[in-house]
Amino acid sequence: MIEKDSKIYIAGATGLIGGAIKSSLELGGYSNLIHRDSKELDLIDQSAVRRFFTQERPELVVLSAGMVGGILANDTRRAEFIYKNLLIQANVIHAAHEQAVKKLVFLGSSCIYPKFATQPIREEELLSGPLEPTNEPYAVAKIAGIKLCENYYRQYGSNFYSVLPTNIYGVNDNFDLQNSHVIPALIRKFHEARVRGSGKVVLWGTGSPRREFLYVDDLAEAVIFLLESIESEDVYEQGISHLNIGTGEDLEIRNLAKMVGELIGYEGQIEYDAKYPDGTFRKRLDVTRINRMGWKHSTPLADGLKTTYEGYLGSQSQELSSL
């Protein structure tokens, strides 16, 4: 068990996932949390990262920082995605090793599995086949982060390991259509179409791929569970390099779009433009291991979508009131 006053550094605390982890830790009574935004600490700058770790000496680290985006951003900013994520991960993980951090949990992504992985995807599927081309640079960077943690453990005994969340969504998500993921993009498109009275919304791809979604507060609770209960040997002694985190349930994008449209009250047509890529057809995670360890998701998709949309409306109201 970790102490409530343990010094915990959350890398990426201003983002969707890091922010939820920070809030959940605070609600759980953890009182010694440290974090920096990108203006205060540039994680790409190795000397700055090492200086920060030397000064602060955190006992535990949650590494959720990184450059993220949807299919368009991944496919058009390929060099940035691999370069920046590689540097962030290497700098934080190595500095944590130098300062003898007691535990580090690194958050990867389910998109790093092979494009044609067997479904549901077990942890052993990593590196078993070719990646999805549209997000290969990001996936390669995240795989490197996983292998960094694994090999710092194998060479030095560092208590570092990785988790692979499925698609995450929730309040404080990124709703910018140029680099958002599917749920915030759908929420914004349907909301704006309803406000404008548009009779048609056009979505990328065919609508046939299936995706799994986990509400961000559920992921935050999973990370706290891992910090409190799971050590590196619990992962690596199973012959794997990471743990899957998800719901084990998926649905077609067209059905997701229908759910979001009905939630928002959009009554027009939904069309699909097949000249745009679908990405990987299916990537449902096998979450047997983490369920057996004692964690399971608790937020149904419909409830999470409702809360996320309410949060989006609240952010829109704040923007309007500041004008």
Side-chain angles (χ1 to χ4, degrees):
M1 292 292 293
I2 60 176
E3 302 298 328
K4 294 295 184 179
D5 61 352
S6 296
K7 197 170 193 178
I8 305 174
Y9 169 47
I10 306 161
T14 59
L16 170 67
I17 293 173
I21 293 170
K22 175 178 174 289
S23 296
S24 292
L25 283 167
E26 289 171 340
L27 288 171
Y30 290 93
S31 58
N32 196 5
L33 309 180
I34 55 174
H35 52 88
R36 300 287 187 276
D37 64 28
S38 58
K39 293 179 180 178
E40 297 172 302
L41 176 61
D42 182 1
L43 296 178
I44 293 174
D45 184 339
Q46 185 184 56
S47 61
V49 173
R50 295 177 78 175
R51 194 161 51 245
F52 167 78
F53 270 80
T54 300
Q55 293 170 351
E56 294 292 344
R57 301 188 65 84
E59 299 172 72
L60 301 105
V61 174
V62 178
L63 177 46
S64 65
M67 183 177 181
V68 298
I71 191 169
L72 175 62
N74 272 280
D75 201 26
T76 57
R77 303 173 67 186
R78 301 171 68 87
E80 289 178 77
F81 270 85
I82 190 168
Y83 173 74
K84 291 183 178 180
N85 283 303
L86 281 172
L87 287 179
I88 290 168
Q89 295 159 188
N91 289 342
V92 173
I93 291 167
H94 185 67
H97 160 69
E98 288 184 318
Q99 294 301 320
V101 164
K102 293 179 181 178
K103 183 184 293 188
L104 180 147
V105 177
F106 168 60
L107 279 79
S109 167
S110 63
C111 74
I112 73 173
Y113 281 117
K115 182 173 183 177
F116 302 109
T118 303
Q119 304 290 320
I121 306 172
R122 302 178 70 234
E123 285 87 352
E124 289 86 350
E125 289 285 326
L126 186 66
L127 296 175
S128 65
L131 301 166
E132 160 59 39
T134 58
N135 74 320
E136 183 183 74
Y138 176 78
V140 168
K142 288 297 180 180
I143 292 169
I146 290 169
K147 291 302 179 180
L148 274 170
C149 290
E150 178 184 0
N151 288 291
Y152 273 80
Y153 168 78
R154 297 199 183 285
Q155 183 171 347
Y156 302 112
S158 301
N159 190 16
F160 302 169
Y161 63 90
S162 307
V163 295
L164 264 62
T166 189
N167 300 285
I168 303 300
Y169 71 100
V171 178
N172 299 320
D173 213 330
N174 175 16
F175 294 89
D176 182 343
L177 294 179
Q178 294 301 311
N179 54 22
S180 61
H181 289 109
V182 59
I183 284 180
L186 289 175
I187 286 175
R188 180 166 177 175
K189 283 190 173 185
F190 283 117
H191 174 78
E192 291 183 352
R194 182 180 64 79
V195 170
R196 291 194 307 265
S198 175
K200 180 174 69 175
V201 167
V202 179
L203 304 178
W204 277 24
T206 64
S208 58
R210 301 181 68 89
R211 290 290 182 270
E212 175 184 7
F213 298 97
L214 178 68
Y215 188 60
V216 69
D217 286 357
D218 284 2
L219 174 58
E221 291 303 319
V223 170
I224 295 173
F225 165 77
L226 294 167
L227 286 173
E228 294 177 339
S229 308
I230 305 302
E231 307 300 323
S232 294
E233 56 265 29
D234 299 324
V235 177
Y236 299 123
E237 287 184 3
Q238 298 184 58
I240 56 175
S241 58
H242 58 277
L243 289 170
N244 288 340
I245 302 181
T247 66
E249 305 162 359
D250 63 3
L251 78 166
E252 284 192 342
I253 292 296
R254 66 177 67 253
N255 290 332
L256 172 67
K258 184 179 178 181
M259 286 180 68
V260 174
E262 289 176 352
L263 169 67
I264 291 173
Y266 173 73
E267 297 179 348
Q269 294 182 334
I270 303 174
E271 295 185 3
Y272 292 88
D273 190 340
K275 75 172 180 286
Y276 290 102
D278 275 328
T280 303
F281 179 73
R282 193 178 192 188
K283 48 179 183 178
R284 178 167 65 97
L285 296 183
D286 185 325
V287 292
T288 302
R289 280 191 169 95
I290 195 165
N291 287 171
R292 285 177 177 169
M293 287 176 170
W295 176 87
K296 192 175 189 304
H297 82 285
S298 59
T299 306
L301 180 58
D303 293 350
L305 290 175
K306 183 175 183 293
T307 304
T308 303
Y309 180 50
E310 290 170 350
Y312 172 72
L313 291 177
S315 67
Q316 293 296 104
S317 298
Q318 290 175 4
E319 288 180 17
L320 289 174
S321 65
S322 65
L323 296 177

